Amino acid sequence: MHAQSPAEEPGAAQDEPVAIVGAACRFPGEVRSLTSLWRLLMARRETVREVPAERWEQAELAGLPAQVAARLRYGCFLDDDVYAYEPEFFGINAQEAPWVDPEHRLLSEVAWEAVEHTRDPMQVIIRDAMHQCAGKRPPASKDTQVAEQRRG
């Protein structure tokens, strides 16, 4: 009985798909990396704060029912300027750049950072099929809001 060489092993000559996994994130509380997310979690820091003045003035909420206005006074917000990015880096021309949604901009930046996180040269990733998977919490539905009110 002799040991098979790697070339003789079943499936050795076949090209097998490989998943190269990278991760990146942006969260309130100055979280711009996985390390800073871990630090936030370990410190058990709260990220809820008053709505930034540039979002809306509290006076604008005066016509709303008191319960609704109270809920709109606080939230979790990213600390960075979501409009500050380099559109040319992502192949977005100067005419399109002002119209690109801030969420799309953030997703592009975070996706690029996730690729960098793989520590694999971009040329390798680009020449083969690349898939992007992104997770985002959907807006709260009416059912979710009712359930949260019952708990609260």
Side-chain angles (χ1 to χ4, degrees):
M1 197 173 203
H2 74 284
Q4 292 180 330
S5 70
E8 294 172 338
E9 290 180 14
Q14 298 175 359
D15 286 334
E16 294 292 328
V18 174
I20 301 172
V21 179
C25 60
R26 290 284 188 292
F27 289 107
E30 299 181 4
V31 173
R32 297 177 190 93
S33 68
L34 297 174
T35 301
S36 59
L37 174 60
W38 181 250
R39 286 183 185 135
L40 174 89
L41 295 172
M42 293 307 294
R44 298 181 180 199
R45 276 190 16 238
E46 180 64 62
T47 60
V48 175
R49 61 185 172 116
E50 276 199 72
V51 174
E54 63 270 10
R55 289 289 179 113
W56 60 77
E57 296 290 328
Q58 291 300 317
E60 294 177 62
L61 307 177
L64 297 173
Q67 282 184 312
V68 174
R71 281 196 322 244
L72 294 175
R73 185 173 177 193
Y74 296 95
C76 292
F77 303 91
L78 294 179
D79 304 286
D80 297 325
D81 181 2
V82 296
Y83 295 98
Y85 81 119
E86 298 176 41
E88 305 83 24
F89 181 81
F90 296 103
I92 300 170
N93 68 44
Q95 291 76 28
E96 289 179 296
W99 298 97
V100 176
D101 186 279
E103 286 185 7
H104 179 85
R105 295 171 183 176
L106 285 169
L107 180 59
S108 298
E109 288 178 354
V110 172
W112 181 262
E113 289 171 14
V115 169
E116 287 180 330
H117 182 252
T118 67
R119 293 193 169 90
D120 202 10
M122 279 305 298
Q123 295 79 12
V124 173
I125 294 172
I126 291 172
R127 81 169 170 241
D128 293 326
M130 181 177 166
H131 300 279
Q132 176 179 309
C133 177
K136 179 184 171 203
R137 182 180 186 270
S141 67
K142 186 175 182 180
D143 295 335
T144 305
Q145 291 171 355
V146 169
E148 287 175 1
Q149 287 174 354
R150 288 182 185 155
R151 280 187 294 205

